[in-house]
Structure formats: C-alpha cells, structure tokens
Amino acid sequence: TQLLEQSPQFLSIQEGENLTVYCNSSSVFSSLQWYRQEPGEGPVLLVTVVTGGEVKKLKRLTFQFGDARKDSSLHITAAQPGDTGLYLCAGAGAGGTSYGKLTFGQGTILTVHP
Amino acid sequence: EAGVTQSPTHLIKTRGQQATLRCSPISGHTSVYWYQQALGLGLQFLLWYDEGEERNRGNFPPRFSGRQFPNYSSELNVNALELEDSALYLCASSLPGTGVFGYTFGSGTRLTVV
C-alpha cells in the first residue's frame, strides 16, 4: 500500500511570510500532483511534476519533485490572504495495482491572516 | 467547455438503503475516477473506469460498485448503506492514459447516511 505523508496539517501565518509544505513517501510515483480545494468544491489541479529533481514555478508558488520521485514540496513566497485554503499532494501510481490511482496526502489547511 | 458535472449535489439516505451517484466527464475524456473524501480520512481511491471497463478499484467492499456508459458518463452505486459511508464523493476525468498528468474533478456529491 502506498502512503503519502503530508506536513504540516495546519499552518497559520501572517500575510507576507513564506511557507513550505512537504509530502514524503517510501514509494516511487510516476508523478506528483498538487491540488487546492475550497470548501464545498472538488480539488483543482495546480501543477504536476513528473521528472525527478524537477522544479516548477507558478507565480509565488514553487513546486519541487525529489530526485528519487518519492517526495515533493510546495513553497509559497510572500503569502497572501487569497492563498488560504486546503492544499493536497497526490502521487500517481507507478504500475501494478497502483496504476491509474492517486494516493493523496492528508492535506494542509493554510490560513493567511491580513 | 463544461467541466465534470456530478449529480445530485446532496443526497440523504437511511442506513441499509442504496445510493446512486452520477458523473459526466469533460467532453473527450474517456477515463473516469471515483474518490471518497470522508472527514478525517482524506481522499481515498474508489474506482477507475476507462472505455466502459473497470480498470482498478481501491480497498472498498463489493457493495461499492459502478459502471461506465457508452457516452463515458459513469454511475457509482453504494448498496446496504452504513453510517460511515457518509462522505463527499468526488468524480474526476482525464484523457486516456493522461491521468498521470492530473485530473479534473467535479464538485462532488455529499452523501449523508442517517
């Protein structure tokens, strides 16, 4: 069974601060996907990283995939109140019984105070 | 372009009854995925359908079943409902073979079992 440990579970910061969310696993994934979910809505895809060591930037958000494709991080620079929400990492199965399946982390609830 | 649509948005059932949830994927997407998001448990993979066939299923009992129709829409059936089946059920879709690059999720069906 593949597991994805996401930390921290809760993050409460002031506007302008930086933060990092981590996702770690002992399993190798085909890709690591990051989603953001608002209350009452489904998750919305932010980015997918596929290659070990890959770094992607989306405005103030930086996503990194570990060299061994087992872990990932999301770094937000100068957080704003609009960044408030639930952030989820998800690993795409690399084959066998994991094929076609996403394993989700438990999520990080981020609150950015003005 | 219409997104992934799910119906109904809310469903209240009595323990022991059956529930049917429906999903229409984005036009052109042949893969449909079902996930359960229960409080405190995160998103758990339920089922994956592609081209009308069940391709993979998660660790859920057989009373969770579904099907995919020729127009690629999908139905999730939950028989003999239990209180712990209360959750947000999310449907997602992707182009064939591209789930590794990310899904588009619907807004979900909130199932409450009383």
Side-chain angles (χ1 to χ4, degrees):
Chain A
T1 303
Q2 295 183 314
L3 293 173
L4 204 47
E5 299 286 339
Q6 186 173 345
S7 63
Q9 266 190 286
F10 301 95
L11 207 45
S12 179
I13 61 172
Q14 294 297 125
E15 183 175 1
E17 292 184 3
N18 301 331
L19 66 112
T20 303
V21 179
Y22 300 93
C23 272
N24 296 290
S25 177
S26 58
S27 303
V28 175
F29 294 104
S30 297
S31 71
L32 211 298
Q33 303 168 21
W34 286 90
Y35 293 83
R36 178 174 161 177
Q37 186 176 19
E38 301 296 334
E41 298 292 327
V44 175
L45 181 67
L46 294 173
V47 83
T48 300
V49 283
V50 179
T51 307
E54 184 176 4
V55 176
K56 279 191 175 178
K57 293 194 174 184
L58 193 67
K59 297 182 181 177
R60 294 176 292 101
L61 278 59
T62 301
F63 304 85
Q64 190 160 6
F65 202 10
D67 290 341
R69 288 161 47 218
K70 294 181 179 180
D71 54 85
S72 181
S73 64
L74 156 62
H75 182 79
I76 301 179
T77 304
Q80 298 176 1
D83 295 327
T84 293
L86 172 64
Y87 290 82
L88 296 159
C89 63
T97 57
S98 301
Y99 187 56
K101 164 186 170 182
L102 284 185
T103 298
F104 278 85
Q106 289 294 91
T108 296
I109 297 174
L110 171 64
T111 305
V112 183
H113 301 280
Chain B
E1 176 186 270
V4 176
T5 57
Q6 292 188 244
S7 63
T9 53
H10 293 85
L11 192 57
I12 300 176
K13 291 286 186 178
T14 303
R15 189 171 49 184
Q17 286 188 317
Q18 179 197 39
T20 299
L21 287 62
R22 296 180 177 83
C23 172
S24 292
I26 288 175
S27 178
H29 286 191
T30 64
S31 279
V32 170
Y33 312 83
W34 287 95
Y35 283 79
Q36 181 196 67
Q37 188 172 29
L39 206 59
L41 291 178
L43 276 94
Q44 305 289 322
F45 170 72
L46 267 166
L47 290 158
W48 168 33
Y49 290 96
D50 185 64
E51 295 288 354
E53 300 285 333
E54 181 182 302
R55 303 295 184 184
N56 201 357
R57 70 177 287 131
N59 296 325
F60 281 85
R63 57 191 187 81
F64 287 84
S65 65
R67 53 180 172 166
Q68 186 177 35
F69 300 99
N71 66 353
Y72 305 115
S73 66
S74 178
E75 201 172 83
L76 174 68
N77 294 293
V78 188
N79 293 320
L81 284 164
E82 301 178 2
L83 296 178
E84 51 265 35
D85 296 334
S86 294
L88 180 67
Y89 288 84
L90 292 159
C91 171
S93 72
S94 74
L95 289 167
T98 65
V100 69
F101 299 112
Y103 298 168
T104 302
F105 280 89
S107 295
T109 293
R110 173 73 60 184
L111 173 65
T112 303
V113 183
V114 297

